[in-house]
Amino acid sequence: MDMRVLLGWLLAAGLLLASGPASAHPHVWITASSELLYAEDGSITGVRHAWTFDDAFSANAVQGLQEKSKGTYTREELAPLAKTQVESLKHNAYFTFLSVRERLPFAEPVDYFFDYEDDHLTLHFTLPLQTPVKAKTVRLAIYDRSFFIDFRLAKEHPLKLVGAPAGCEIWLGHSWQARSIGNDRDRELVQEASEDTFREGGANAAVGLLFLVPILVECP
């Protein structure tokens, strides 16, 4: 199987990835920065992501790719990999949950591409809403319930508002600064757990919810 297809399949299915320890969760680490997109009438139109993958995943992903310049890859060279990854994310609803009282459905992703810098891949993609919505309060969460992937919000500007009405504010849930520090110990405990406990029905099958940090946006 082509390495690019294999990586996409593993990411979608939540199976063991060679870049992570064989007996511990998580297996992939992602630092997430996002933008909430607004139209001129103040309606929310979608979410734009920039997800930076850990160095081990990035190294595995580019194995076998032919680069024009040694150690660097253009967006064009990474285009097939970006397509595979974005398609694989659909199986898990792109790990992106935007809600106004209830979850809002996304259309197919657009404008997706990979950047490669400092030995890390960053996946950029936009999730348009099927129907734009006007709302004073909206909740965004990015997480993997199974904790196969450890999503961490970027420490600086985890969410930006693009085209939002004046006066909108962003709130990071659960005292994010303290939570992000304390969770390092919790993550170490999770990594010591048996892999079997993370499988469907296992004691840790939904452990990713413990590390969920919701983002609230409130507008006047």
Side-chain angles (χ1 to χ4, degrees):
M1 182 182 293
D2 185 280
M3 176 58 74
R4 288 167 291 176
V5 176
L6 175 61
L7 286 166
W9 177 66
L10 288 172
L11 184 56
L15 299 178
L16 185 62
L17 187 67
S19 64
S23 59
H25 262 50
H27 298 286
V28 181
W29 291 261
I30 291 176
T31 300
S33 299
S34 303
E35 296 177 337
L36 193 60
L37 309 178
Y38 288 80
E40 291 185 1
D41 65 357
S43 61
I44 300 167
T45 62
V47 179
R48 182 186 296 134
H49 287 310
W51 290 355
T52 300
F53 289 78
D54 64 87
D55 52 359
F57 181 96
S58 298
N60 275 305
V62 298
Q63 276 187 353
L65 291 182
Q66 296 297 319
E67 70 271 34
K68 292 181 180 178
S69 301
K70 185 174 178 58
T72 63
Y73 302 89
T74 65
R75 292 184 184 180
E76 290 73 21
E77 290 166 343
L78 294 168
L81 179 61
K83 184 175 187 297
T84 298
Q85 287 302 324
V86 167
E87 290 175 349
S88 75
L89 294 171
K90 185 175 183 178
H91 177 76
N92 285 298
Y94 307 99
F95 300 106
T96 304
F97 306 91
L98 187 67
S99 58
V100 177
R101 293 182 296 277
E102 60 184 19
R103 183 175 160 189
L104 303 173
F106 291 111
E108 294 294 316
V110 297
D111 301 332
Y112 50 84
F113 60 91
F114 261 126
D115 275 337
Y116 186 81
E117 185 176 356
D118 297 329
D119 298 326
H120 287 78
L121 284 168
T122 298
L123 178 64
H124 303 261
F125 65 105
T126 299
L127 293 172
L129 286 173
Q130 288 186 6
T131 304
V133 62
K134 284 189 176 182
K136 290 187 176 181
T137 302
V138 62
R139 180 180 188 269
L140 174 65
I142 304 164
Y143 65 95
D144 177 9
R145 181 184 179 91
S146 72
F147 206 52
F148 182 81
I149 305 171
D150 183 357
F151 283 97
R152 298 199 190 198
L153 301 181
K155 291 184 177 181
E156 295 185 8
H157 309 300
L159 180 68
K160 295 181 181 179
L161 306 182
V162 179
C168 293
E169 294 185 281
I170 300 171
W171 303 90
L172 296 173
H174 306 320
S175 301
W176 179 71
Q177 289 291 351
R179 184 180 174 87
S180 65
I181 296 171
N183 272 356
D184 286 340
R185 291 190 296 271
D186 297 335
R187 283 178 164 90
E188 289 176 3
L189 292 174
V190 169
Q191 290 172 7
E192 294 173 0
S194 166
E195 188 72 26
D196 288 339
T197 67
F198 294 95
R199 304 190 188 284
E200 189 68 30
N204 293 322
V207 73
L209 297 176
L210 297 177
F211 302 100
L212 164 63
V213 180
I215 306 174
L216 297 178
V217 177
E218 295 183 344
C219 294

